[in-house]
Amino acid sequence: MVKRVGLGFLAFMCGTMFLAGVSTFLDNLFTNPARAMSDLAVTAVFGALTVFIILKLFGRRIRVIPETRKYLPGSKLPIVPNAGLVLMPGEVCHIAEKAQAGVLKTVTGSVRRSSGTRVRGLLGTSYSGASRSRSTSEDVIDRSSGMLYVTNKRIVIAAPKYGFEAPLELVTSVTPYANSFDLQMKRGNYTIFVREPVYTSSVLQAAVSLKVRGATR
């Protein structure tokens, strides 16, 4: 907390010096160009420091947790006993862990732009005159928390939304990322968020390969 207060005060001071430098630069731009260029260099330094400190205070970082589990392709698949999934005869569970199933959606909205006279009222600034709206769209991943199960026969997502159960033969591709993996299936595409996406996706890929090879024999 003390560190954040100190950084906040430093950002305030640098920002003040930046604004003062901009004002001095504009004052000397036409009367003393050489002095203005010198002021500009100092002003740029304070501006860069202000931006750096603000990003330090409020910037969001994605923390990638190092994975502790490893799976070597071709090795024996892990077996999870008492996974909490009702298994069919001859079925064993390889993955049972918390996960979030996500589906890519496009969210649309509108932004209203006004032109005319600006009028400051009690609740802020309003506009009188013509106005028009512009439609906007943004791609977001809608998530639903639940459990991921991978067996030697099927993949199961137990979640309130986007939950499904499908045989492994329907899995067409698995692409791991830093905090998730993309799951492409013949019935749709999903983004699965897990703690160790490389390990989980590797086991899933191996289970799919074994199932497909067994089915083609």
Side-chain angles (χ1 to χ4, degrees), residues 5-209:
V5 172
L7 287 175
F9 177 75
L10 187 59
F12 171 77
M13 293 300 297
C14 289
T16 302
M17 295 299 293
F18 171 73
L19 294 176
V22 171
S23 178
T24 304
F25 167 75
L26 294 176
D27 290 340
N28 295 328
L29 182 59
F30 298 104
T31 59
N32 192 346
R35 176 65 182 275
M37 291 299 102
S38 177
D39 293 336
L40 180 61
V42 177
T43 301
V45 172
F46 281 112
L49 283 174
T50 303
V51 173
F52 174 78
I53 296 172
I54 291 175
L55 291 176
K56 189 75 173 178
L57 280 170
F58 303 105
R60 297 176 61 185
R61 298 180 179 179
I62 299 177
R63 183 185 177 189
V64 178
I65 301 176
E67 298 195 8
T68 58
R69 296 178 295 177
K70 304 291 183 181
Y71 174 75
L72 298 177
S75 61
K76 186 177 181 181
L77 286 171
I79 295 179
V80 181
N82 304 318
L85 179 68
V86 178
L87 301 176
M88 297 181 290
E91 187 177 24
V92 293
C93 185
H94 302 304
I95 291 289
E97 58 186 66
K98 294 180 180 180
Q100 289 182 326
V103 173
L104 184 65
K105 288 188 173 184
T106 300
V107 179
T108 59
S110 62
V111 177
R112 182 171 295 275
R113 291 185 173 181
S114 302
S115 61
T117 305
R118 295 176 61 181
V119 180
R120 184 173 295 279
L122 294 176
L123 299 180
T125 302
S126 61
Y127 290 84
S128 62
S131 64
R132 60 180 180 177
S133 61
R134 178 174 59 88
S135 61
T136 62
S137 62
E138 181 182 6
D139 291 336
V140 298
I141 297 180
D142 188 24
R143 306 186 192 186
S144 179
S145 298
M147 289 290 296
L148 165 67
Y149 300 98
V150 176
T151 74
N152 59 331
K153 295 184 178 181
R154 55 186 170 144
I155 177 173
V156 179
I157 290 288
K161 292 172 63 177
Y162 314 127
F164 65 88
E165 175 182 338
L168 294 179
E169 292 89 342
L170 293 184
V171 177
T172 57
S173 69
V174 181
T175 306
Y177 295 100
N179 62 343
S180 61
F181 64 87
D182 282 348
L183 176 64
Q184 185 173 351
M185 306 179 64
K186 294 180 181 179
R187 61 173 60 175
N189 300 331
Y190 300 87
T191 299
I192 310 298
F193 295 85
V194 291
R195 182 177 177 84
E196 297 181 313
V198 173
Y199 170 79
T200 303
S201 61
S202 298
V203 173
L204 172 58
Q205 288 176 319
V208 171
S209 297

